[in-house]
Amino acid sequence: MHPFRAAVEKGDLAAVEAMLAENVVFTSPVAFKPYPGRAITAAILRGVTRVFEDFRYVREIAGADGRDHALVFEARVGDRAITGCDFLHFDEEGRIDDFMVMVRPLTAAQALAAAMGAEFDRIAQEAAAGA
């Protein structure tokens, strides 16, 4: 099991944040522009933990060189079941420098967009405090 997955499954958000490179870029499944930086990425991930229910990884796929990883997940957002994938790229130091998320189906993505939108003021405040 990849250490990122283990930290997420334990709810160890401090360990997750420690795995993020300072220059990490987070690409959201529901936002137009990516979010650059550790502080905003960590805040978004904390927001996701408040929005997702019954989150679990169901599959793990590793690239041959160990620098690319895909983690397939299932969760709920309200009454919507969601399936998604975290695509992670690791820099030379072993930190995540690219974090892209994709989700399906559309109705669940829309529920996620609404729920994360409701969290975004808190996410922005947390990111500002962490920067």
Side-chain angles (χ1 to χ4, degrees):
M1 178 183 302
H2 192 276
F4 176 84
R5 176 180 179 175
V8 169
E9 290 181 348
K10 287 180 189 171
D12 187 350
L13 297 179
V16 169
E17 185 171 352
M19 291 181 211
L20 301 174
E22 280 297 325
N23 65 338
V24 64
V25 175
F26 180 84
T27 304
S28 164
V30 296
F32 179 69
K33 293 193 287 189
Y35 296 94
R38 178 189 284 167
I40 188 68
T41 299
I44 289 168
L45 294 176
R46 285 190 297 273
V48 168
T49 66
R50 295 188 292 266
V51 167
F52 279 162
E53 299 172 50
D54 302 327
F55 179 90
R56 65 199 168 282
Y57 284 117
V58 295
R59 189 169 178 201
E60 189 172 328
I61 306 161
D65 66 359
R67 293 185 60 187
D68 290 291
H69 228 74
L71 298 166
V72 179
F73 63 84
E74 295 175 349
R76 284 185 310 104
V77 179
D79 64 348
R80 300 287 178 188
I82 193 166
T83 301
C85 190
D86 292 337
F87 294 96
L88 309 175
H89 181 269
F90 294 83
D91 65 15
E92 300 80 22
E93 297 173 2
R95 296 203 192 300
I96 300 166
D97 63 0
D98 187 47
F99 193 132
M100 179 174 60
V101 181
M102 293 186 173
V103 297
R104 65 162 308 282
L106 178 58
T107 55
Q110 291 166 330
L112 177 61
M116 289 300 289
E119 287 282 324
F120 212 79
D121 285 344
R122 180 174 176 182
I123 289 168
Q125 290 172 354
E126 289 179 6

